[in-house]
Amino acid sequence: MPRTADKSPLLAIDLDKASATPMHRQIFDQIRRAILTGRLVPGRRLPSSRVLADELGVSRNTVLAAFDQLLAEGYTEGRIGSGTRVADALPEDYLAARAGRERAMSGDHARKPRLSNVGRALQTAVPKTRIDPNRWAFRPGVPEVARFPWAHWSRLCAGFWRRPPLELIAGGATAGFKPLRAAIADYLGAVRGLACQAEQVIVTAGAQQAIDLAARALLNPGDKVWIEEPGYAGIRGVLTAVNAEMVPIAVDDAGIDVDAGIAIAPDARMAIVTPSHQYPLGSVMSLARRLALLEWARQTDAWILEDDYDSEYRYGGRPISALQGLDRDGRVIYCGTFSKVMFPTIRIGYLVVPLELVEPLAAVRSLIDDQTAIALQPVLAAFIESGHFAQHIRRMRTLYAERQDVILDALKSELSGALDVTPDESGMHLVAEIRPSASIWDADVAELAAARGLSISPLSRFFLGRPNRNGLLLGYAGIEARDIRTGVKKLARIFDDLD
Amino acid sequence: MPRTADKSPLLAIDLDKASATPMHRQIFDQIRRAILTGRLVPGRRLPSSRVLADELGVSRNTVLAAFDQLLAEGYTEGRIGSGTRVADALPEDYLAARAGRERAMSGDHARKPRLSNVGRALQTAVPKTRIDPNRWAFRPGVPEVARFPWAHWSRLCAGFWRRPPLELIAGGATAGFKPLRAAIADYLGAVRGLACQAEQVIVTAGAQQAIDLAARALLNPGDKVWIEEPGYAGIRGVLTAVNAEMVPIAVDDAGIDVDAGIAIAPDARMAIVTPSHQYPLGSVMSLARRLALLEWARQTDAWILEDDYDSEYRYGGRPISALQGLDRDGRVIYCGTFSKVMFPTIRIGYLVVPLELVEPLAAVRSLIDDQTAIALQPVLAAFIESGHFAQHIRRMRTLYAERQDVILDALKSELSGALDVTPDESGMHLVAEIRPSASIWDADVAELAAARGLSISPLSRFFLGRPNRNGLLLGYAGIEARDIRTGVKKLARIFDDLD
């Protein structure tokens, strides 16, 4: 049988008939690899399709399909029937070098990839918090997802998707789904005292993207930006990415110290603030400071980015109005999120911007990621309009107030010697200052806590400069009362061990 | 009645009892505005809550609620009962300036906002295409959304959301939902010839974000980047945003001219290519060019961004394997999207990157927008696993092939004198070159077409430099056969009128 001359150990193709990959693809892949690794050299004749089909126990059409593909992609030359050869046109030196580098494919990952300067800076811009989903206590900012009205939400989802408006599905809208923008404007006007129309609302994929969008559109490299000290660490990454110069400004019981900001960096291009409930300390910016901040922004043509991250949850008194509502000069860019009133992975947030910024920001947005997925926008709009949204907030407000009492009680009975905690009229976490007498560092507590199954953020991590506070951020909103009590007991043992 | 002395025309509060805004909020808002506009000056005594309640016909508690809020926000001073006054601490000069500027609030938007240089550049980086959702013919890249299996999709949505895994809802994952990453890796391995594991897949909010993410993490300002000429305009915005230098490299029937690239900019940091189906011309990059490109990237430590935007739709022959499958040196970053196989506003795409890039890119991503909304990821994973995905692609492939025949026939009978069109073995659009004899410019056709209800992209728009082609991009995939025929008739009249 002269045909056996065709047989080559190089072509010992190993077919996996149980694989999801079609036979012709497996044959193609293995011959291609043989060519690329130099096992089949240029000019080498392949066995005929008939021989190979016999040998492999597959139909000739299967082999022909593989051969077609090899030919189409330029690995082989010649006509089927008159013999198929490995193409001459392959750059030989490239192929020769192949065999030795085949290893690389299987995982030689020691080499450091060349990142951009920004890419490299971002690797360390923000302290990594590895969130273990099974460690709820005491992650801040996580709402109670177990009591979300999933049944209703699921029905709204199914309803929308059963027969979605096709022009919406095909086109979408960069600034967001219009009825959702309207629902957001109504909500913010009524509850947060904003002066805004639906046209000023830009729906984003969460607050982080909202801040990133504003930073890219408004900040030049080297521009100074006031940030609160201590403050939200996520801001630092955004500002690092646009090469802005961060100017930390101290925060006290009346919010960010505007006079200090003007003294240190009067020419800043932007101030990023949390006026309603300073993150993480919880203070409310005084009216005098608000007006002074607005006046500074007016005089210097600076922007104020108001991050209103958890103002829905206020247990005492009434919600403090947003700074935006005081702005008469189009200086305030207001940023909010549904992560905390709905659930974190909904990834829907929004900016409320002066009208003249809507189009410029939308243009930038269209190049970043075009638009927020339509996915849940109509469902969220319907959820708000149906009243379930307001009802859910009211329920959670009651629940979180109870949980704040639980954690306060537990801390009082277990840790009053070491921690100094005051109730907070709003929010989803408490700040517990470590008493100087305890002589224990917050970072040490956090580290030991992580090893023992607790997620605790040390207050020192929220400082860009040298921390002048030593304390712990204890989230309570998303944690069951019994887990709060168990967690506090664990925390007390940590303090004992560190003592 | 001495009480009338308290009454002041300045406090003529106008309550809207039908409004959704609560009474106390309306009272608060109007007094606050009176203070801010200077109608109520610092030190001015407010009427007592009792008097105001009588006057307004509301309960005293309602007025007290408004007064509480004014006090809490620092607009007023003093104790309720002993008299409430407008706060002295208000910066008087700020308030004095208010009244004159009140107008600004109601819409003086002539002023140009100060954008960043990047923000400004992006306003004009990409030609604006106003998409009218009612004009389907001949938008390129839009799939047929009317034949998507919505009923099945809706059931999957409802099923997921009825009882979603809470750790998923609360935490999510920066690189994406794991089962979806696995489904993508399987799909790409089997269908696109990629060599990849699930760990290499990063789920993004669409291809645009995927490219933006790669650009931010890998490109420094001033870095040169090869782009295809003509090529996808969305790339230009991304590169403008990171201040990269775009180097347009000509495309011919074998894809991007790698030798030209090496001659013009051997030191480029990245090449962005569409090897499987060049956008917009449709050519397939030859194997020799692919290997040459990989070799250049290996020698210079450059990155290759492979944009594999519509390779699912191949009507003749078999799909051409992805360039990524040939890469042995971890140089290729592969980018894909579900916009075209599912629907555009799903906003789910992905990067497949060398393993050593996964963590660095995820770190950058966490600062851009944290993660892709969980929303549809599990639903999409289930859709793929259930086999509906493959089935939908097969159905659409047949449908789009038919529609390509329809548009080819129509163009042949209506416009063969003016347009030169060749069938394309894949994709969702055709390129129709305007015959030189017609002496008509593509941009003129597009403009007139827009006025007559057609969406047509002129080929010249895809050039960064001087266009050397004069033609039209005609999408057909998402357009009903009868609309294709009507559209081509309209187009023929446009040519008649321009002649």
Side-chain angles (χ1 to χ4, degrees):
Chain A
M1 297 239 297
R3 275 181 187 161
T4 52
D6 257 353
K7 271 181 158 182
S8 155
L10 292 175
L11 270 184
I13 287 170
D14 189 17
L15 295 182
D16 176 2
K17 303 210 173 180
S19 163
T21 308
M23 287 300 154
H24 65 83
R25 185 82 211 183
Q26 293 186 43
I27 297 170
F28 165 79
D29 284 342
Q30 295 189 39
I31 297 179
R32 182 177 70 147
R33 171 161 301 218
I35 294 173
L36 289 171
T37 55
R39 281 185 287 137
L40 278 174
V41 296
R44 167 87 200 206
R45 196 161 167 249
L46 293 191
S48 77
S49 54
R50 193 182 313 271
V51 167
L52 197 55
D54 282 357
E55 192 179 323
L56 297 173
V58 299
S59 80
R60 192 168 163 227
N61 278 339
T62 300
V63 175
L64 284 174
F67 279 21
D68 278 358
Q69 180 91 8
L70 288 164
L71 194 66
E73 298 199 7
Y75 291 98
T76 56
E77 292 170 342
R79 295 250 140 254
I80 293 157
S82 69
T84 301
R85 292 173 187 280
V86 175
D88 276 329
L90 298 171
E92 294 218 24
D93 55 342
Y94 182 87
L95 294 179
R98 289 301 77 190
R101 282 205 305 279
E102 269 293 279
R103 287 172 291 112
M105 213 189 153
S106 50
D108 172 14
H109 302 299
R111 192 181 42 143
K112 280 258 177 269
R114 256 175 82 189
L115 303 178
S116 66
N117 298 336
V118 160
R120 204 160 39 238
L122 290 181
Q123 303 304 310
T124 52
V126 175
K128 281 208 176 77
T129 22
R130 298 238 166 262
I131 291 183
D132 179 341
N134 299 313
R135 293 175 184 184
W136 295 79
F138 295 92
R139 288 162 60 188
V142 178
E144 178 53 88
V145 288
R147 315 232 178 152
F148 189 82
W150 294 117
H152 181 68
W153 180 254
S154 164
R155 274 193 301 276
L156 290 175
C157 282
F160 173 75
W161 286 110
R162 206 169 296 129
R163 203 181 285 272
L166 297 184
E167 66 286 354
L168 192 64
I169 290 303
T174 301
F177 179 59
K178 271 209 169 158
L180 179 61
R181 294 166 74 194
I184 291 172
D186 283 353
Y187 166 69
L188 294 176
V191 178
R192 305 291 306 121
L194 262 72
C196 74
Q197 315 155 23
E199 288 69 31
Q200 291 173 260
V201 178
I202 298 174
V203 178
T204 63
Q208 185 74 22
Q209 191 196 46
I211 298 171
D212 184 53
L213 173 60
R216 293 180 84 175
L218 304 175
L219 295 175
N220 281 324
D223 276 351
K224 289 179 192 159
V225 177
W226 297 1
I227 58 170
E228 295 177 331
E229 177 84 331
Y232 173 56
I235 297 283
R236 293 180 219 160
V238 169
L239 296 177
T240 301
V242 296
N243 275 306
E245 184 186 328
M246 289 176 254
V247 184
I249 307 292
V251 159
D252 61 23
D253 288 349
I256 194 169
D257 185 344
V258 177
D259 288 343
I262 294 174
I264 298 169
D267 56 339
R269 193 80 189 76
M270 182 184 276
I272 304 183
V273 291
T274 51
S276 303
H277 190 229
Q278 202 275 330
Y279 193 81
L281 298 182
S283 55
V284 176
M285 194 190 257
S286 68
L287 180 63
R289 291 245 178 108
R290 288 173 189 233
L291 295 175
L293 183 63
L294 287 166
E295 180 59 16
W296 164 77
R298 186 184 71 78
Q299 284 178 4
T300 62
D301 203 15
W303 298 107
I304 299 168
L305 182 65
E306 175 176 25
D307 180 6
D308 204 18
Y309 64 101
D310 76 352
S311 47
E312 283 81 6
Y313 297 120
R314 190 157 185 90
Y315 317 117
R318 248 159 266 287
I320 301 297
S321 300
L323 177 61
Q324 195 269 6
L326 292 174
D327 178 25
R328 299 290 173 274
D329 302 291
R331 297 289 87 207
V332 174
I333 293 158
Y334 176 93
C335 167
T337 175
F338 286 100
S339 298
K340 295 183 173 66
V341 285
M342 298 288 289
F343 45 90
T345 52
I346 191 171
R347 306 311 305 147
I348 298 183
Y350 45 85
L351 286 176
V352 180
V353 303
L355 267 182
E356 61 270 24
L357 271 186
V358 176
E359 276 208 39
L361 286 183
V364 174
R365 176 74 196 277
S366 72
L367 298 166
I368 294 178
D369 67 345
D370 191 36
Q371 57 182 285
T372 303
I374 204 66
L376 300 181
Q377 290 188 64
V379 182
L380 178 56
F383 189 75
I384 295 174
E385 283 154 16
S386 71
H388 276 81
F389 180 69
Q391 187 184 48
H392 180 60
I393 292 180
R394 277 195 302 273
R395 282 187 184 150
M396 291 304 106
R397 195 180 284 148
T398 309
L399 179 70
Y400 298 170
E402 287 166 13
R403 288 180 176 178
Q404 191 186 112
D405 288 343
V406 170
I407 194 169
L408 281 168
D409 283 351
L411 289 169
K412 194 174 167 193
S413 68
E414 300 280 344
L415 278 155
S416 57
L419 292 176
D420 190 13
V421 201
T422 42
D424 192 329
E425 284 199 325
S426 68
M428 304 165 79
H429 70 263
L430 288 176
V431 172
E433 304 234 23
I434 301 175
R435 292 185 195 278
S437 56
S439 296
I440 289 174
W441 279 110
D442 56 7
D444 295 336
V445 178
E447 203 183 316
L448 203 49
R452 300 193 187 174
L454 295 177
S455 299
I456 293 181
S457 302
L459 201 47
S460 57
R461 182 191 289 160
F462 296 82
F463 285 81
L464 185 65
R466 192 184 165 85
N468 64 12
R469 301 253 195 164
N470 183 32
L472 306 173
L473 226 73
L474 302 172
Y476 56 79
I479 307 150
E480 296 282 352
R482 64 164 187 283
D483 295 336
I484 291 177
R485 291 192 198 96
T486 320
V488 169
K489 283 207 169 79
K490 272 192 197 173
L491 183 60
R493 275 198 297 278
I494 289 170
F495 270 86
D496 286 345
D497 292 350
L498 284 172
D499 200 13
Chain B
M1 300 235 301
R3 276 179 187 165
T4 53
D6 257 355
K7 270 183 160 181
S8 154
L10 292 175
L11 271 185
I13 288 168
D14 190 17
L15 294 183
D16 175 2
K17 303 212 172 181
S19 162
T21 308
M23 287 298 153
H24 67 82
R25 186 81 212 184
Q26 293 187 42
I27 298 170
F28 166 79
D29 283 342
Q30 295 189 39
I31 297 179
R32 182 177 71 148
R33 172 161 299 218
I35 294 173
L36 288 171
T37 53
R39 281 186 286 138
L40 277 175
V41 294
R44 167 88 200 205
R45 195 158 169 251
L46 294 190
S48 76
S49 54
R50 193 182 312 272
V51 167
L52 198 55
D54 282 357
E55 191 179 325
L56 298 173
V58 298
S59 81
R60 194 168 162 226
N61 277 339
T62 300
V63 175
L64 284 174
F67 279 21
D68 277 357
Q69 181 91 4
L70 288 165
L71 194 65
E73 299 199 6
Y75 291 97
T76 56
E77 292 172 341
R79 295 250 139 254
I80 292 156
S82 71
T84 301
R85 292 174 186 281
V86 176
D88 275 329
L90 298 172
E92 294 217 25
D93 55 341
Y94 181 88
L95 294 179
R98 290 300 79 191
R101 282 204 305 279
E102 268 293 281
R103 286 173 290 113
M105 213 190 154
S106 49
D108 172 14
H109 301 298
R111 191 180 41 145
K112 279 258 179 266
R114 254 174 85 189
L115 303 178
S116 66
N117 297 336
V118 160
R120 203 160 38 236
L122 290 181
Q123 303 304 311
T124 52
V126 175
K128 281 211 176 75
T129 23
R130 298 237 164 265
I131 291 183
D132 178 339
N134 299 315
R135 293 173 185 188
W136 295 79
F138 294 93
R139 288 162 59 188
V142 178
E144 178 52 270
V145 289
R147 315 234 180 149
F148 190 81
W150 294 117
H152 181 68
W153 180 255
S154 164
R155 274 194 301 276
L156 289 175
C157 281
F160 173 76
W161 284 111
R162 206 169 296 130
R163 204 180 286 271
L166 296 184
E167 66 287 356
L168 191 65
I169 289 303
T174 301
F177 179 59
K178 271 209 169 159
L180 178 61
R181 294 166 74 193
I184 291 171
D186 284 353
Y187 165 71
L188 294 176
V191 178
R192 306 291 306 119
L194 262 72
C196 75
Q197 315 155 24
E199 289 69 31
Q200 291 173 258
V201 178
I202 299 175
V203 178
T204 62
Q208 185 73 23
Q209 191 194 47
I211 298 171
D212 183 53
L213 173 60
R216 293 181 85 178
L218 304 175
L219 294 175
N220 282 325
D223 276 350
K224 289 177 191 160
V225 177
W226 297 1
I227 58 170
E228 296 176 331
E229 177 85 332
Y232 173 56
I235 297 282
R236 294 179 218 159
V238 169
L239 296 177
T240 301
V242 296
N243 274 307
E245 185 186 329
M246 289 177 255
V247 184
I249 308 292
V251 160
D252 61 23
D253 287 349
I256 193 169
D257 185 342
V258 176
D259 288 343
I262 293 174
I264 299 171
D267 56 338
R269 193 80 190 74
M270 183 183 276
I272 304 182
V273 292
T274 51
S276 303
H277 189 228
Q278 202 274 330
Y279 193 83
L281 298 181
S283 54
V284 176
M285 193 185 227
S286 69
L287 180 62
R289 290 246 178 108
R290 287 171 191 235
L291 295 175
L293 182 63
L294 287 165
E295 181 58 16
W296 164 77
R298 188 185 68 79
Q299 284 178 4
T300 62
D301 203 14
W303 298 107
I304 299 168
L305 183 65
E306 174 175 24
D307 181 7
D308 204 18
Y309 65 100
D310 75 354
S311 46
E312 283 81 4
Y313 297 119
R314 192 158 183 89
Y315 317 116
R318 249 157 264 289
I320 301 297
S321 300
L323 177 62
Q324 195 269 5
L326 293 173
D327 179 25
R328 297 292 174 271
D329 302 291
R331 298 287 88 207
V332 174
I333 294 158
Y334 176 93
C335 167
T337 175
F338 286 100
S339 298
K340 295 184 173 65
V341 284
M342 298 287 291
F343 45 90
T345 53
I346 192 171
R347 306 310 308 146
I348 298 183
Y350 44 86
L351 286 176
V352 179
V353 304
L355 266 183
E356 62 270 23
L357 270 187
V358 176
E359 275 208 38
L361 286 184
V364 174
R365 176 76 197 278
S366 71
L367 297 167
I368 293 179
D369 67 345
D370 191 37
Q371 57 181 287
T372 303
I374 204 66
L376 299 181
Q377 290 189 66
V379 182
L380 178 57
F383 189 76
I384 296 174
E385 284 153 17
S386 70
H388 277 82
F389 180 69
Q391 188 185 47
H392 180 61
I393 291 179
R394 278 194 303 272
R395 283 187 183 150
M396 292 304 105
R397 196 180 282 148
T398 310
L399 180 69
Y400 299 169
E402 287 166 13
R403 288 182 176 177
Q404 190 186 112
D405 289 343
V406 170
I407 193 169
L408 282 168
D409 284 352
L411 288 169
K412 196 175 165 192
S413 67
E414 301 280 346
L415 278 155
S416 57
L419 292 176
D420 190 13
V421 200
T422 42
D424 192 329
E425 284 200 324
S426 66
M428 304 165 79
H429 69 263
L430 287 176
V431 172
E433 304 232 25
I434 300 174
R435 292 186 195 278
S437 56
S439 296
I440 288 175
W441 280 110
D442 57 7
D444 294 336
V445 178
E447 201 182 317
L448 202 49
R452 299 192 187 174
L454 295 177
S455 299
I456 292 180
S457 302
L459 200 47
S460 56
R461 182 190 291 163
F462 295 82
F463 287 80
L464 184 65
R466 193 185 165 82
N468 63 12
R469 301 254 197 164
N470 183 33
L472 306 173
L473 225 73
L474 300 172
Y476 55 80
I479 306 152
E480 296 282 351
R482 64 162 187 283
D483 295 335
I484 292 177
R485 291 191 198 96
T486 319
V488 169
K489 283 207 171 81
K490 271 193 198 174
L491 184 58
R493 276 197 298 275
I494 289 171
F495 270 85
D496 287 344
D497 293 350
L498 283 172
D499 200 12

